[in-house]
Amino acid sequence: MSVSPLVSTDWLADKLASPDVVVVNAWLPPVGAPDTAPEYRDKHIPGAIFFDVDAISDPASDLPHMLPPTHVFSSKMRRLGIGDGQTIVVYDGMGMYSAARVWWTFRAMGVTRVFVLDGGLPKWEAEGRPLEDMPPVPRGERHFSARLDHGLVADRAKVARVLEAGGQVLDARSRGRFAGTEDEPRPGLKRGHMPGAKNLPFPDLLEDDGRLKSPEDLARAFDAAGIDRSQPVVTTCGSGVTAAILTLALAVLGHDKAPVYDGSWTEWGGRDDTPIAKGEA
């Protein structure tokens, strides 16, 4: 990646009226609060398109918000008015949560000009920038062609091969969940982690206001987790959402091909045939 995957609020404010820039409000309720209402109804960046992660997922999977087939994704993007060649800027209401997942989703679907708004809605609002509480003017359908980038997506078999070969798998869950000392928020999942995986809780990469930390601080966090950034890294978490924050942070540091394990612990920890370890990495 030749440029940063992040854009600033200043940059977006300057480009907001550009017809080639599409702003996307990423939405996914926190796993512990599934009934949380989207903030989009009350306030969003002018013209932003609402992107419901669960609604734009694989309807045939029993795992949460898995990547949809490319033809399904293409169809949904066309209806939203998102097309080939546009510059997509993704943000969320927490500062950094579901935006990274949606950024990764677009990249996995072959989009190269997609970015995350650093600091998201909290920073935009704190700076007194414009907001609206009405649906944007409907966009006409545009042609969108999704082409899956297999190098950015990991399934259970790939993760197992990486671990067996002594490769790097990095888990974004909390230290207690990784060690197996805390229950999983989703019922029916075992405690612990994949044998050989390392742990870097995603909040360690964020400032208090939701922005990603400086590149220097990000590098120190990956180094402290025992990650060799010159080698391949697969990221994982509970359900493939906060793993994308690790992948985004790695992209900031120039490591732009860190695949996300889409099924993550919801798949691995919900099976009887997957090995599980407990304790710290």
Side-chain angles (χ1 to χ4, degrees):
M1 185 174 293
S2 59
V3 296
S4 172
L6 303 176
V7 295
S8 68
T9 51
D10 285 340
W11 185 95
L12 181 58
D14 184 57
K15 303 290 185 182
L16 197 57
S18 172
D20 294 328
V21 173
V22 180
V23 182
V24 172
N25 181 184
W27 167 250
L28 184 70
V31 65
D35 296 327
T36 302
E39 73 282 336
Y40 186 90
R41 301 170 186 174
D42 300 319
K43 56 186 177 183
H44 54 266
I45 294 174
I49 293 171
F50 183 65
F51 188 116
D52 185 327
V53 174
D54 281 329
I56 304 175
S57 62
D58 186 354
S61 177
D62 57 359
L63 296 171
H65 37 256
M66 293 283 286
L67 280 178
T70 54
H71 71 279
V72 172
F73 189 78
S74 292
S75 176
K76 289 183 178 292
M77 292 306 101
R78 289 170 189 154
R79 292 174 187 172
L80 290 176
I82 299 175
D84 294 335
Q86 293 181 308
T87 297
I88 301 169
V89 178
V90 188
Y91 77 92
D92 65 49
M94 296 177 65
M96 183 65 73
Y97 179 61
S98 52
R101 168 73 189 197
V102 172
W103 166 83
W104 169 77
T105 297
F106 276 111
R107 289 200 65 217
M109 292 294 173
V111 177
T112 56
R113 291 197 58 77
V114 57
F115 305 90
V116 172
L117 180 64
D118 198 18
L121 186 64
K123 189 172 189 293
W124 181 272
E125 186 174 15
E127 294 169 347
R129 300 188 189 274
L131 295 168
E132 63 182 19
D133 60 359
M134 63 190 75
V137 176
R139 295 170 178 259
E141 286 196 15
R142 296 179 63 109
H143 182 70
F144 187 98
S145 303
R147 300 176 182 84
L148 186 64
D149 184 343
H150 295 276
L152 284 172
V153 185
D155 59 13
R156 180 173 54 87
K158 179 175 182 176
V159 172
R161 290 194 300 270
V162 170
L163 292 169
E164 289 169 5
Q168 299 184 118
V169 174
L170 187 59
D171 194 325
R173 293 178 300 153
S174 70
R175 290 179 176 84
R177 289 171 65 188
F178 183 87
T181 58
E182 296 176 5
D183 285 332
E184 286 295 310
R186 292 179 175 84
L189 300 184
K190 299 180 179 69
R191 291 182 176 187
H193 61 267
M194 304 162 199
K198 298 181 185 298
N199 185 214
L200 177 52
F202 77 91
D204 290 1
L205 302 178
L206 304 179
E207 302 286 5
D208 292 340
D209 61 3
R211 291 180 298 115
L212 276 179
K213 291 183 176 179
S214 69
E216 294 77 15
D217 286 341
L218 294 178
R220 280 191 285 270
F222 285 109
D223 292 346
I227 294 299
D228 180 351
R229 289 177 284 110
S230 70
Q231 298 299 315
V233 185
V234 176
T235 65
T236 183
C237 59
S239 64
V241 176
T242 58
I245 297 176
L246 303 185
T247 292
L248 177 68
L250 285 165
V252 168
L253 297 174
H255 192 310
D256 67 340
K257 282 289 186 179
V260 170
Y261 174 20
D262 202 11
S264 282
W265 194 253
T266 304
E267 180 178 36
W268 192 280
R271 299 176 62 97
D272 294 327
D273 59 349
T274 44
I276 291 175
K278 294 186 177 181
E280 296 181 358

